[in-house]
């Protein structure tokens, strides 16, 4: 079984996790926004990869087995999705040296690290784009983008080149150009050889070229057959999960189902609808189970075991805000996340009950004051992580519905029975278990 | 005596010297301008450092002892003075790998290589500038430039930040900011440790901070005490040549004197005046000698021996054009260049009689068809270079005037007598040599 089947992932937004310098040296001076201040769209808090490494004991105590880092390459944006240099970790994060250090300490404790690969577009500060901007038709980079006219109009609302959602800050790369293709594949391979354990791929559906993704898989798995490739696909992803492209996708359909079942009428559906989660249907147990059965049935078992199951991310409101502050519901959602097949993936701070609406509110500075933690949630996550470690069947066994009615669900995972009461009331029921446990 | 005292330097404008790929592999495809086409301000011909290395036999045959490369770091300009990344050789030139290769083959033949350091300003594509452009006051790079207001207006004729000669493409770095200072010093040291043999410094007088240059010298000489530091100062440079900053400067005053003496009334003074050479006075032998005596007398002897003596560069018209096509005068000017104290520095193609006015005409693709070479000039340069190698006194001995009248000059260099007739007519004279040769 691959390391990434059933692993507990922890997602970190690097600018916001922990600010520290290299061991024994000070953190970068900034100036940065105050850590506790409400996050802003353009502000920097100065978190570093040195800081992530320094907090590894916290993650180990939590039970984390793998870290998914939001983008780390040099970028003009605090989220670093506007890539400026694919071969350099952002200097504010500590540069390549800090990533090297993080990989060393993480691997020494058996923790894997995957990076966020943004290959559909670059930032407008990217070298080839700047070259084209300055030299127009005389630039040898003229085939790197989808240019509709020269000179480029990059600092207006209406760019004359293809850009992600028309955003002039994010010119779309022309992946069909052999030099671009080779450049991106070289990036993918370079970082695998550097030591990362896989790639989370940003908006891969926008690169409508399965041959590119097949070549991508070959380069990555050629460099490390154990590397994990997980795509950001917000819907069902059969096309990508045939075995020739991705190992898994970010399982937003599962997130919607869990939120709809656990959150029910209490869920802040309007808030969810302002993000990629869309309009979430409240689900009763049976509908929820049907949704799960569909998700677990449509992919091969190794894909189901490797799916990046999540409740929230940097692209959604935070769990506690979706649950309108209900720690109980948040706890139940997290419990389900850890007890279903796939990789439970926790967005930094979710485990201590950080709140926050849509971007930028969902990207606050990690709360490190224990007095501000929701200790219940934190203990739940630790206990669930321990449970998975102690009972490997929770990673491997398929989902089997035993009982589902109203807000009440029972399902088996191998020799274990999970019983969930998502209603606001106590509930008592005898389950018919004949045939469930052989 | 330092290696750089009296060495024969050859200046190469990398985009225009020779296009080649790594040994046994093809050159980059471009698209590029045709090699033979008139050069343009924004066009690329695709010369590479692989190409420079491939042409090393040509340079060795010429007698070259050191190469001065115009900028090689990643840049959006064909001349690469608009730096985008100080730690990466431009990918079009072949990247860091190509510089590594060039250094290896050059050093294997005893040829030194110095790079062009552009530290006063960056290109507007430079990471910190792009960061500031995108994030304004929220960028931690706000102290990297002299910003007069946010948002930055970088793509207008009137930038709201200090820029080199007001050119918005070249924002001026704030060297007084400790992080900037340390960044630049780290760049200087990095490439010395990488293996380069020194730095030619672009517009160093615009960084009006002698402490910066003193620190620069310490970092560079600390990494390699034999490194050569030569500043681009167009006038007398006493301030910079006290021993605590530069080893030498580009000797444009000497260029003006030689051109004024050899070119006389034939010199295209209007053409010269359109460049940094300014209005060149025609000089008779005595005035020329006085000018030389002043230049050789005002600096310490080791500085005089290390001066980068040149006739032309990428910033001036080409020699043959200044001489209005007179190969004889060009040859005489080159002879003087090689027979005076200091480092004779030949701008690529000068030795084969390439012509060209001001930028971009002076930056044509190197002529490699022997049929188009001025063989006279080429043979003269080879002979002069051999002469200097065979007679080391030509590197070390001071200049001593013996005779100077009208267009006729005789001077001694140690045991040798140099006699020059810059007039258009034959001339015969007995020189009084008593006291000249002890």
């Amino acid at each position: 079984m691959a390391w990434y089947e059933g692993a507990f992932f922890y997602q970190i937004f690097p600018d916001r996790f922990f600010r520290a310098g290299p061991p024994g040296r000070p953190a970068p001076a900034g100036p940065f926004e105050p850590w506790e201040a409400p996050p802003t769209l353009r502000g920097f808090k100065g978190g570093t990869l040195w800081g992530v490494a320094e907090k590894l004991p916290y993650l180990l105590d939590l039970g984390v087995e793998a870290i998914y880092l939001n983008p780390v390459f040099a970028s003009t944006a605090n989220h670093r999705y506007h890539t400026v240099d694919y071969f350099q970790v952002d200097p504010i994060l500590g540069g390549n040296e800090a990533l090297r250090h993080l990989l060393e300490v993480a691997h020494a404790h058996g923790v894997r690290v995957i990076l966020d690969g943004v290959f559909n577009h670059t930032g407008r500060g990217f070298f080839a784009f700047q070259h084209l901007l300055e030299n127009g038709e005389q630039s040898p980079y003229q085939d790197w983008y989808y240019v509709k006219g020269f000179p480029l109009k990059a600092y207006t609302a209406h760019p004359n080149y293809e850009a992600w959602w028309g955003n002039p800050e994010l010119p779309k790369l022309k992946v069909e150009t052999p030099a671009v293709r080779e450049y991106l594949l070289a990036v993918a391979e370079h970082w695998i050889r550097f030591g990362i354990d896989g790639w989370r791929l940003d908006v891969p559906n926008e690169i409508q070229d399965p041959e590119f993704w097949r070549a991508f898989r070959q380069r990555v798995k050629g460099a490390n057959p154990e590397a994990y490739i997980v795509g950001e696909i917000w819907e069902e992803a059969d096309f990508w999960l045939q075995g020739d492209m991705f190992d898994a996708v970010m399982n937003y359909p599962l997130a919607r189902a869990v939120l709809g079942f656990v959150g029910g009428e209490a869920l802040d559906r309007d808030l969810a609808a302002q993000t990629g989660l869309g309009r979430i249907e409240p689900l009763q147990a049976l509908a929820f189970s049907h949704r799960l059965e569909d998700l677990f049935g449509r992919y091969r078992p190794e894909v189901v075991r490797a799916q990046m199951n999540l409740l929230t991310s940097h692209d959604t409101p935070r769990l506690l805000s979706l649950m309108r502050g209900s720690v109980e519901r948040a706890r139940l959602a997290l419990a389900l996340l850890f007890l279903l097949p796939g990789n439970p993936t926790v967005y930094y701070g979710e485990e201590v009950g950080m709140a926050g609406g849509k971007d930028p509110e969902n990207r606050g500075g990690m709360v490190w004051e224990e007095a501000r933690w929701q200790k219940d949630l934190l203990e739940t996550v630790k206990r669930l992580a321990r449970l998975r470690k102690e009972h490997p069947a929770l990673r491997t066994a398929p989902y089997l519905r035993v009982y589902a009615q109203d807000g009440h669900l029972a399902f088996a995972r191998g020799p274990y029975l999970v019983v969930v009461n998502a209603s606001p009331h106590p509930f008592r029921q005898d389950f018919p278990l004949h045939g469930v446990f052989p």
Side-chain angles (χ1 to χ4, degrees), chain A:
Chain A
M1 198 174 65
W3 67 264
Y4 49 76
E5 293 180 28
F8 171 13
F9 274 76
Y10 190 82
Q11 178 185 349
I12 290 177
F13 191 90
D15 188 58
R16 306 292 158 76
F17 193 61
F18 190 60
R19 184 160 77 218
R25 301 195 336 245
F32 297 115
E33 286 183 353
W35 195 261
E36 308 291 345
T40 61
L41 285 171
R42 287 290 185 185
F44 290 76
K45 293 197 185 291
T48 64
L49 299 188
W50 301 114
V52 176
E54 192 168 323
K55 288 299 186 185
L56 197 69
Y58 170 83
L59 299 177
L60 291 170
D61 185 48
L62 197 58
V64 166
E65 295 164 319
I67 297 169
Y68 151 39
L69 292 173
N70 280 104
V72 300
F73 303 141
S75 168
T76 53
N78 60 33
H79 47 68
R80 300 191 169 89
Y81 281 96
H82 297 190
T83 315
V84 162
D85 187 338
Y86 288 88
F87 287 101
Q88 296 294 325
V89 172
D90 197 294
I92 301 175
L93 291 177
N96 292 359
E97 190 195 356
L99 178 60
R100 164 71 59 219
H101 173 74
L102 172 59
L103 289 173
E104 279 170 6
V105 300
H107 288 172
H109 290 88
V111 172
R112 316 281 181 148
V113 179
I114 72 168
L115 297 189
D116 206 322
V118 189
F119 299 129
N120 176 64
H121 44 260
T122 67
R124 60 186 160 187
F126 182 65
F127 179 65
F129 189 79
Q130 286 288 316
H131 207 283
L132 205 48
L133 185 67
E134 300 287 7
N135 300 299
E137 284 170 284
Q138 292 185 280
S139 171
Y141 294 100
Q142 57 194 265
D143 291 326
W144 279 54
Y145 295 92
Y146 296 90
V147 177
K148 296 170 191 165
F150 290 108
L152 288 185
K153 293 176 190 152
Y155 295 90
T156 66
H158 303 288
N160 55 352
Y161 47 87
E162 281 189 37
W164 182 76
W165 288 37
N167 181 346
E169 296 179 46
L170 297 172
K172 181 174 170 66
L173 280 166
K174 198 169 182 175
V175 173
E176 70 208 61
T177 297
V180 174
R181 209 174 180 88
E182 175 52 31
Y183 178 86
L184 295 176
L185 296 176
V187 168
E189 180 176 344
H190 171 81
W191 291 105
I192 294 289
R193 294 199 185 277
F194 189 87
I196 69 164
D197 299 291
W199 286 105
R200 177 269 190 190
L201 299 168
D202 187 58
V203 297
N205 53 323
E206 309 229 3
I207 299 182
Q208 292 170 343
D209 178 351
E211 284 313 318
F212 174 74
W213 290 118
R214 288 184 189 117
F216 182 91
R217 181 182 186 84
Q218 283 178 4
R219 284 289 274 272
V220 165
K221 298 275 183 178
N224 178 4
E226 295 196 0
Y228 179 45
I229 302 174
V230 54
E232 182 207 17
I233 304 283
W234 286 69
E235 310 298 337
E236 285 71 3
D238 307 65
F239 177 71
W240 312 91
L241 296 174
Q242 304 298 314
D244 56 346
M245 291 187 262
F246 309 154
D247 297 310
V249 296
M250 293 181 81
N251 206 344
Y252 282 108
L254 180 132
R256 293 185 188 107
V258 173
L259 294 169
F261 174 54
V262 175
E265 296 296 339
L267 189 77
D268 191 337
R269 295 170 68 206
D270 291 338
L271 179 59
Q274 293 172 48
T275 71
L277 289 174
R279 290 221 70 84
I280 294 179
E281 270 181 281
L283 298 175
Q284 291 286 63
L286 186 60
F288 173 54
S289 189
H290 283 157
R291 194 76 195 85
L292 293 181
E293 288 157 40
D294 174 64
L295 288 171
F296 299 147
R298 69 189 311 139
Y299 308 123
R300 289 167 299 125
E302 61 267 35
V303 171
V304 172
R305 289 195 299 266
Q307 287 283 75
M308 181 173 260
N309 292 349
L310 73 169
L311 299 170
T312 68
S313 73
H314 63 294
D315 281 331
T316 73
R318 283 190 169 277
L319 180 60
L320 203 63
S321 296
L322 285 168
M323 296 302 187
R324 296 188 201 268
S326 164
V327 175
E328 290 75 10
R329 288 185 191 270
R331 192 170 49 192
L332 185 54
L334 281 162
L336 269 169
L337 184 71
F338 278 81
L339 294 169
L340 290 171
N343 301 336
T345 301
V346 169
Y347 182 51
Y348 81 99
E350 191 164 71
E351 76 279 14
V352 295
M354 282 177 68
K358 58 183 183 149
D359 178 19
E361 293 163 25
N362 54 353
R363 302 174 182 185
M366 173 69 182
V367 172
W368 291 110
E369 287 167 71
E370 299 190 16
R372 292 172 53 209
W373 288 353
Q374 295 287 351
K375 297 237 168 53
D376 273 15
L377 271 185
L378 183 62
E379 287 309 315
T380 298
V381 170
K382 285 186 192 177
R383 203 162 54 241
L384 288 162
R386 253 195 329 267
L387 203 62
R388 286 177 70 91
K389 273 190 188 144
E390 288 162 7
H391 304 278
L394 290 175
R395 295 179 184 234
T396 53
Y399 171 92
L400 183 65
R401 168 160 48 97
V402 172
Y403 179 92
Q405 196 170 320
D406 304 330
H408 315 127
L409 174 71
F411 58 89
R413 299 286 316 284
Y416 307 108
L417 183 72
V418 179
V419 183
V420 182
N421 176 6
S423 81
H425 310 293
F427 176 70
R428 188 183 169 86
Q429 169 80 26
D430 292 326
F431 296 117
L433 291 179
H434 39 267
V436 172
F437 301 109

